[in-house]
Amino acid sequence: DSINPSRKESLIHAKARLSWFATEHLQVHGGLEHFQQFFMEAIDENERSISIPLTAAHLESQYFFNERFTLKGGLRVEAQSYSIQLAPRVSAAYRIDEKQQLSASYGDFRQNQDMPVLIKSPETQQALSRHILLNYQWAHQGVTFRFEAFNKDYQNLLQTSSQGTQNTNGYGYAR
């Protein structure tokens, strides 16, 4: 007597983006995207499945103060059947000369938990990462040197106890 497990995962992704070049110094970009994730797993005749929709909109503006200094700010809004989340992002770049640039950025990013987790608990919180980056780049004649310092904090990471129960109380960081 054999057990016949099967698993299928698929994704549909649609995206639209618009740009408006308001002046020679100001650009505004916006867009919409929709993800539809499908997941099914079965053992012999027993099957379970889930479909997770995610719709997002973003708006960002980029201002060129001069040929050397640029500032960019934006906001991403993500909606799922059980929550609406905001993800702000901002960055600044300063071009030292034709070969060198300094930049700094901040942003919030979200990601769904793995599908085998969501099939059991569809309302499980998304994992959140908060990034702060400082970057120096030198590029000349096809050679690039980049130094990056970063702090990335992670929240709502999936934890599994020794008894097998799961929660999203996990956290971590990368530096």
Side-chain angles (χ1 to χ4, degrees):
D1 204 12
S2 64
I3 297 174
N4 297 310
S6 64
R7 189 177 267 186
K8 182 178 178 184
E9 190 168 352
S10 58
L11 171 71
I12 296 172
H13 180 209
K15 187 177 195 177
R17 181 177 164 105
L18 293 172
S19 295
W20 176 46
F21 301 93
T23 69
E24 67 180 42
H25 295 284
L26 178 64
Q27 297 177 5
V28 180
H29 307 281
L32 297 171
E33 25 183 358
H34 181 75
F35 297 87
Q36 189 74 42
Q37 289 181 279
F38 303 96
F39 181 77
M40 182 277 300
E41 63 184 6
I43 297 178
D44 295 325
E45 306 298 318
N46 299 314
E47 179 182 303
R48 59 185 179 179
S49 62
I50 189 170
S51 177
I52 305 279
L54 181 132
T55 302
H58 74 276
L59 183 65
E60 71 177 27
S61 61
Q62 185 170 7
Y63 190 81
F64 299 88
F65 286 88
N66 53 43
E67 291 181 4
R68 293 181 180 247
F69 185 63
T70 303
L71 186 62
K72 185 188 292 187
L75 182 66
R76 180 179 172 90
V77 180
E78 294 182 351
Q80 287 189 306
S81 56
Y82 56 89
S83 69
I84 295 176
Q85 303 290 336
L86 301 178
R89 298 171 186 169
V90 65
S91 66
Y94 179 74
R95 189 170 163 199
I96 299 167
D97 57 33
E98 290 185 17
K99 299 175 189 171
Q100 302 176 84
Q101 177 177 297
L102 286 173
S103 62
S105 61
Y106 167 89
D108 285 356
F109 302 87
R110 296 183 181 280
Q111 179 178 323
N112 281 338
Q113 303 292 346
D114 289 337
M115 285 302 224
V117 172
L118 292 174
I119 203 167
K120 291 186 270 183
S121 300
E123 295 180 9
T124 303
Q125 286 185 312
Q126 290 178 310
L128 167 67
S129 62
R130 185 160 285 142
H131 299 194
I132 300 171
L133 298 112
L134 299 173
N135 181 293
Y136 167 80
Q137 180 174 303
W138 177 88
H140 183 63
Q141 296 180 344
V143 176
T144 301
F145 169 77
R146 179 178 292 152
F147 174 79
E148 191 168 83
F150 58 87
N151 182 51
K152 297 180 181 182
D153 286 316
Y154 301 97
Q155 299 172 15
N156 305 335
L157 298 178
L158 189 66
Q159 289 182 314
T160 303
S161 72
S162 58
Q163 292 82 26
T165 59
Q166 294 181 322
N167 64 56
T168 55
N169 295 332
Y171 60 92
Y173 64 88
R175 293 186 176 109

